[in-house]
Amino acid sequence: MTRCMVFLTLPGLLLSAQDPGVDTVIKRTQAHLVALRNQFQAFTESGRDPKQFRPDFSTILKELDAGLAANPSAEVKEVLLVSKLTFGRMGALPKPELNALALRARQEVPGRSRAWVLDPELFVRLGTPAMLAEAVEANPEVKVRALVLQTRGEALLRVNKGEEAASILARMEAEFPKEAATEALRKAYEAAAPTFPGRPAPQFKLTNLEDSAQSFALVDFRGKYLLLDFWASWCGPCRAEMPELHQAWERFKGPRFEILSLSLDRTAGDVGRFRKEPGHAMPWKHAYLSGGFDHDLVRTLGINSIPRPVLLGPDGRVVASGDELRGADLLTTLERVLK
């Protein structure tokens, strides 16, 4: 059966032949984005397949191209470019043209440009380190500065640099306390704090998944380095970590090092089925966390996504967590700690 695509015609930006001004283009583009979101919401609430939503961007693209061809001022040109790029990401442009436009925007729209307020998330992904640094210090749009700082703070949290992340959070709370980005970083910081280096791990007692008569407690691992591996077989990124986890086990297993994989699967049986697959033997200790993200240990450690590895030292305190223990960095960190 042939799928029926639904195309919705959207109003143009109604740009004048003369230089319309930065504020005019920003406001009209923002109004159009709101109209687009409203149309999509109405479309899906009517019970239709979201994949069939196909707005017609032809009028908008024509007017944006005409505006760019009219030799506008540098600032208006920046806004027109980012406007076109924003619509392009929504399906208005084929991928090759979209990629070329993204490269042009990176080269022609500086980090200080107001244009990035149209799509701050795009700017964070597209901007070079120099552009992002310029935005933090010189972009007049609060939402742009806030999102760049939030992203920077969250990146620091992923590599356990809590003090630096706290400094960024303090700056955000002072400069724009009411921004959503500030609240998001605050929540991320609070969630990550229990796994900052030096923090004591919470006491736990977990049933051995392979022998229900046995259990694992934190005290059982005293004097050893223990890698807590929060994972699930349904988690694609968790599956991608398997080669490095197996390499780490083969290299470091012994009286000084243990791995305890803590499954957030839907059922305990999912773990056994996964371990029967080639390359997924996982020949170390296992426990199942009933309740998933609502399990007490998960909540106490602030685990809000997986995979989330946490390395405990012989004294039961956190040594490392997050990205320090993922991919190739897992072996590097263990080499440094266990050498």
Side-chain angles (χ1 to χ4, degrees):
M1 182 174 65
T2 303
R3 175 179 289 179
C4 176
M5 297 298 182
V6 179
F7 289 82
L8 300 181
T9 301
L10 300 172
L13 291 174
L14 303 176
L15 301 178
S16 63
Q18 298 179 342
D19 193 325
V22 172
D23 285 331
T24 299
V25 182
I26 287 178
K27 289 179 180 179
R28 288 177 176 170
T29 299
Q30 289 175 329
H32 182 82
L33 292 173
V34 170
L36 184 63
R37 284 193 293 269
N38 290 341
Q39 288 191 11
F40 178 75
Q41 182 176 353
F43 185 88
T44 55
E45 288 179 350
S46 69
R48 286 177 284 184
D49 184 353
K51 294 180 180 179
Q52 293 183 338
F53 184 73
R54 295 291 188 274
D56 181 2
F57 292 100
S58 59
T59 300
I60 295 171
L61 292 179
K62 182 177 179 180
E63 293 187 5
L64 289 171
D65 286 337
L68 288 167
N71 195 28
S73 65
E75 290 184 338
V76 170
K77 178 182 177 183
E78 293 165 5
V79 178
L80 292 169
L81 280 173
V82 175
S83 294
K84 185 176 180 179
L85 184 59
T86 300
F87 294 128
R89 291 178 63 235
M90 296 178 177
L93 297 174
K95 191 171 182 179
E97 188 175 349
L98 179 63
N99 291 340
L101 183 61
L103 178 60
R104 181 182 176 187
R106 174 183 278 184
Q107 294 171 338
E108 298 182 23
V109 186
R112 65 179 179 275
S113 175
R114 291 184 60 200
W116 294 118
V117 76
L118 294 172
D119 200 339
E121 292 182 2
L122 168 65
F123 173 59
V124 169
R125 291 195 296 271
L126 184 69
T128 64
M131 290 171 66
L132 296 172
E134 181 183 51
V136 168
E137 303 305 329
N139 196 293
E141 298 290 345
V142 168
K143 290 188 179 300
V144 175
R145 299 201 309 275
L147 188 60
V148 173
L149 285 173
Q150 176 197 343
T151 305
R152 185 181 297 175
E154 290 175 344
L156 290 168
L157 290 174
R158 287 195 295 272
V159 292
N160 250 351
K161 295 185 177 180
E163 290 186 5
E164 294 179 44
S167 178
I168 290 178
L169 178 58
R171 174 177 178 176
M172 294 178 70
E173 290 176 330
E175 293 186 15
F176 20 80
K178 296 182 179 180
E179 281 296 309
T182 303
E183 178 63 18
L185 182 58
R186 183 184 300 114
K187 290 182 178 179
Y189 181 87
E190 292 171 352
T195 56
F196 286 162
R199 295 291 181 93
Q203 298 295 324
F204 59 78
K205 188 174 183 179
L206 304 169
T207 301
N208 185 338
L209 188 56
E210 298 177 314
D211 184 354
S212 60
Q214 297 182 355
S215 61
F216 303 121
L218 181 61
V219 68
D220 297 334
F221 301 96
R222 189 176 301 278
K224 300 179 180 181
Y225 286 91
L226 174 63
L227 180 64
L228 297 176
D229 167 40
F230 292 87
W231 77 293
S233 64
W234 50 257
C235 166
C238 299
R239 289 172 170 262
E241 297 293 319
M242 288 298 137
E244 285 77 17
L245 275 170
H246 283 81
Q247 290 177 42
W249 178 247
E250 289 302 317
R251 185 178 301 183
F252 300 110
K253 64 181 177 181
R256 298 183 61 219
F257 178 70
E258 295 269 12
I259 298 178
L260 176 57
S261 281
L262 305 174
S263 167
L264 278 71
D265 273 288
R266 296 177 180 87
T267 70
D270 293 339
V271 179
R273 286 187 287 272
F274 177 79
R275 293 178 64 194
K276 291 178 182 178
E277 298 178 7
H280 297 162
M282 303 177 73
W284 47 80
K285 292 178 171 59
H286 290 265
Y288 175 68
L289 303 182
S290 179
F293 287 102
D294 288 326
H295 190 279
D296 287 344
L297 182 59
V298 176
R299 293 168 66 90
T300 301
L301 286 175
I303 308 297
N304 53 24
S305 64
I306 53 176
R308 181 64 185 278
V310 180
L311 180 65
L312 305 181
D315 59 356
R317 293 180 178 273
V318 176
V319 175
S321 71
D323 285 5
E324 296 177 287
L325 300 169
R326 294 191 56 188
D329 288 337
L330 171 61
L331 298 175
T332 301
T333 298
L334 292 177
E335 285 280 6
R336 172 176 56 81
V337 171
L338 293 169
K339 67 179 179 180

